Amino acid sequence: MVPSRNLVRTSQGERQTPLVIYLFHFLIEYAEMVFMITDVLTAVALYLAIQDFNKVVFKKQKLLIELDKYAPDVAELIQTPMEMHYTPLKVALFYLLNPYTVMSCVAKSTCAINNTVIAFFILATIKGSAFLSAVFLALATYQSLYPLTLFAPALLYLLQRQFIPVKLKSKGFWLYTVQYAALYLCSLVVIICLSFFLLNSWDFIPAVYGFILSVPDLTPNIGLFWYFFAEMFEHFSLFFVCVFQINAFFYTIPLAIKLKDHPVFFLFVQIAIISVFKSYPTVGDIALYMAFLPVWSHLYRFLRNIFIPSCLLIVCSVLFPVLWHLWIYSGSANSNFYYAITLTFNVGQVFGGGRAEEGSLDVKVPLLWNVPQAILFVCFSCSWRSSSVAWAENPLRGHPCHLDAHSVKAVRGHRGTAKSGLGKLVAP
């Protein structure tokens, strides 16, 4: 048994949940193998999930064809069994061979464990097992809190499999919703109580979840929070922390209304939103939702301006380590350079997600995706204004060879951990 005192310290220092730390107490010597196995398990779970999903889609297509429900001009969009046969393999390979997955594995980021849990949650949901779906969703929520938003797409898919109409006046709808919510909450309570018994303390709740929500660590990463709050006055921070955190949860309701007939695509969009708006994102989060792109490959022809977001993601991925090195090691750049690439990278994700939704559903969704785009624009404007004010106060501050106060703090406070620049980029 691991001493609870040491486990509390580790949980507070590494910001990981007690169960994960307890697990690695026994597997620390095989850490490399553990992360490789988790990635393989994620790929297998995604393969099986998409395989089962394609069977459901094929049966639905066959029924609609027999009932003559399709318009004549959509015949070319109907997926053939041969196309569906290779889709699960493409999804698994998209995840395993994704450079973001490889970087996350090399950096030994625990995001790989989160992805595995979410992948098994998706598999259980598509298989129609409400109990296992609730258990794995509880585990995912326990790990990083944000997967709470995946409750809605999972519920919609399970209702669809049970042929229960999504109507607020339907008793069957509310009965099934309460049952699934009860399974989820009970599983989450059991997991949290197990963590308490391991530690004999509730200290892990503020140490892990309070850390995620309050964002006290402003170490540079690929997220939107660190630079914005480093430049902000302290008495405004609470308000803007709430505003920023709401983004990860706010879009669930409008998406549930818009995509209630497409719960799997809703799930994909929600995972993408989490990877953009969570407080401490990693590249492993991006790899998970990118793995779903082959599922809708037959609709790529409807994607609008997808070339630009793709180029943004590729170019920014190359520039991330370059600007990190110029800022932290060479001292020939400052934090504004790195944050500009961070904003551009997230803009590419948001625009790519918006184009994917428009192309897959062949609808206009200006309101839904203009909100996050506006938020990213505000972040960019604020960072630009802060740089302009700093230049007015101190002309040397904007010089490319100058390290500002935040840069110096980052260098001094995190120089030891910044030795692995790639690891810092992947697992902040």
Side-chain angles (χ1 to χ4, degrees):
M1 179 68 70
V2 181
S4 61
R5 185 179 302 173
N6 294 337
L7 198 56
V8 172
R9 280 193 196 136
T10 311
S11 178
Q12 290 177 343
E14 298 299 330
R15 309 302 173 183
Q16 287 296 332
T17 54
L19 291 182
V20 170
I21 295 172
Y22 190 79
L23 175 67
F24 274 96
H25 175 75
F26 300 100
L27 300 176
I28 190 65
E29 296 180 358
Y30 311 100
E32 293 84 358
M33 188 64 64
V34 169
F35 287 107
M36 287 190 287
I37 291 174
T38 53
D39 283 336
V40 171
L41 288 176
T42 303
V44 171
L46 292 176
Y47 178 91
L48 296 174
I50 300 305
Q51 190 178 53
D52 198 74
F53 173 67
N54 280 344
K55 291 178 182 177
V56 175
V57 172
F58 181 73
K59 290 179 181 178
K60 185 178 179 180
Q61 284 184 353
K62 186 177 179 181
L63 178 63
L64 293 175
I65 291 173
E66 291 176 353
L67 297 176
D68 198 21
K69 294 291 185 179
Y70 283 124
D73 55 348
V74 300
E76 60 181 2
L77 299 179
I78 298 175
Q79 292 179 277
T80 63
M82 185 60 68
E83 292 175 345
M84 292 184 174
H85 178 74
Y86 291 105
T87 301
L89 182 61
K90 291 178 182 178
V91 169
L93 292 178
F94 257 59
Y95 182 79
L96 284 178
L97 302 181
N98 194 319
Y100 297 140
T101 305
V102 176
M103 286 192 290
S104 181
C105 182
V106 170
K108 301 187 185 77
S109 171
T110 52
C111 177
I113 299 175
N114 300 348
N115 289 350
T116 302
V117 175
I118 293 175
F120 276 97
F121 153 71
I122 295 171
L123 174 60
T125 302
I126 292 180
K127 289 286 186 181
S129 175
F131 174 73
L132 290 178
S133 174
V135 170
F136 282 114
L137 180 59
L139 279 171
T141 306
Y142 168 78
Q143 271 296 103
S144 59
L145 196 62
Y146 293 102
L148 169 66
T149 58
L150 303 180
F151 178 90
L155 177 62
L156 289 173
Y157 187 84
L158 291 171
L159 288 169
Q160 195 177 83
R161 277 190 67 104
Q162 297 294 327
F163 302 102
I164 300 175
V166 183
K167 295 180 180 179
L168 297 180
K169 296 182 180 180
S170 172
K171 291 183 180 180
F173 167 76
W174 286 111
L175 180 62
Y176 195 89
T177 301
V178 170
Q179 289 176 351
Y180 186 67
L183 286 172
Y184 167 68
L185 292 175
C186 289
S187 302
L188 188 59
V189 169
V190 169
I191 296 170
I192 291 176
C193 290
L194 181 59
S195 300
F196 171 75
F197 292 138
L198 282 175
L199 298 177
N200 198 24
S201 170
W202 295 107
D203 291 345
F204 72 92
I205 293 181
V208 177
Y209 306 115
F211 184 84
I212 292 173
L213 293 174
S214 60
V215 202
D217 185 3
L218 301 179
T219 304
N221 53 58
I222 62 170
L224 300 171
F225 285 71
W226 64 273
Y227 186 91
F228 193 85
F229 291 101
E231 300 289 340
M232 185 179 294
F233 291 111
E234 190 66 28
H235 54 280
F236 290 128
S237 62
L238 178 61
F239 171 76
F240 281 99
V241 163
C242 295
V243 171
F244 270 60
Q245 293 287 8
I246 284 173
N247 279 283
F249 303 94
F250 171 76
Y251 305 109
T252 305
I253 297 175
L255 283 171
I257 296 172
K258 188 72 177 178
L259 303 175
K260 65 179 181 179
D261 296 327
H262 307 274
V264 175
F265 188 76
F266 179 16
L267 187 67
F268 158 75
V269 173
Q270 198 63 54
I271 294 174
I273 288 175
I274 291 173
S275 70
V276 174
F277 289 107
K278 68 187 298 187
S279 52
Y280 296 103
T282 67
V283 293
D285 300 309
I286 303 168
L288 181 62
Y289 81 80
M290 280 189 172
F292 284 89
L293 293 177
V295 178
W296 298 281
S297 58
H298 61 291
L299 300 176
Y300 284 173
R301 72 191 73 179
F302 297 107
L303 295 181
R304 301 181 179 94
N305 302 324
I306 197 62
F307 177 74
I308 295 176
S310 301
C311 290
L312 285 177
L313 294 179
I314 294 172
V315 172
C316 291
S317 299
V318 173
L319 289 178
F320 267 132
V322 173
L323 293 179
W324 175 267
H325 180 83
L326 290 176
W327 173 26
I328 298 298
Y329 291 92
S330 301
S332 57
N334 56 32
S335 57
N336 297 327
F337 289 76
Y338 186 79
Y339 190 63
I341 291 298
T342 301
L343 280 176
T344 308
F345 184 75
N346 286 286
V347 166
Q349 289 191 79
V350 171
F351 272 96
R355 299 294 83 78
E357 184 165 352
E358 288 185 8
S360 298
L361 302 180
D362 198 23
V363 293
K364 293 284 187 178
V365 284
L367 177 61
L368 201 59
W369 284 100
N370 280 350
V371 175
Q373 290 169 14
I375 292 169
L376 293 175
F377 177 75
V378 169
C379 294
F380 179 79
S381 301
C382 292
S383 63
W384 179 264
R385 178 171 175 76
S386 65
S387 303
S388 302
V389 172
W391 172 266
E393 294 176 354
N394 183 4
L396 292 178
R397 184 184 176 93
H399 193 272
C401 293
H402 177 75
L403 275 174
D404 56 21
H406 177 62
S407 305
V408 174
K409 181 180 178 181
V411 173
R412 291 175 180 173
H414 306 286
R415 188 75 184 200
T417 55
K419 292 297 183 183
S420 57
L422 182 62
K424 197 66 177 178
L425 185 66
V426 177

